[in-house]
Amino acid sequence: MDIVNIARGIINATKNEFGVGDPEVEKKAEERVKICLTCPTLSSNRQRCDGNKGGCNCFIGFLVRSNKKCVKGKWN
């Protein structure tokens, strides 16, 4: 797990919760979530990219708002 990029995702998610998020980050996050929801590595509770299924084990809400690339190459 790339802690710096995930930390950036946490910061971006927090900013969004307080209404000061970057619209471009949120647009990209929405596009990424749509892809994640169809991925076989998505956990059964739809919260994580499941490491037991070959994913990166990150929380989707933070992952899609980070600069990290999808480990399956589905988005960057």
Side-chain angles (χ1 to χ4, degrees), residues 63-75:
L63 178 63
V64 298
R65 290 176 176 89
S66 73
N67 291 334
K68 187 172 177 169
K69 295 180 180 180
C70 171
V71 297
K72 294 297 185 180
K74 297 185 179 245
W75 47 260

Side-chain angles (χ1 to χ4, degrees), residues 30-48:
E30 287 177 23
E31 293 168 358
R32 289 175 169 185
V33 165
K34 287 178 186 175
I35 295 167
C36 291
L37 291 175
T38 66
C39 185
T41 65
L42 187 65
S43 64
S44 59
N45 67 3
R46 299 167 60 131
Q47 298 293 314
R48 296 179 82 93

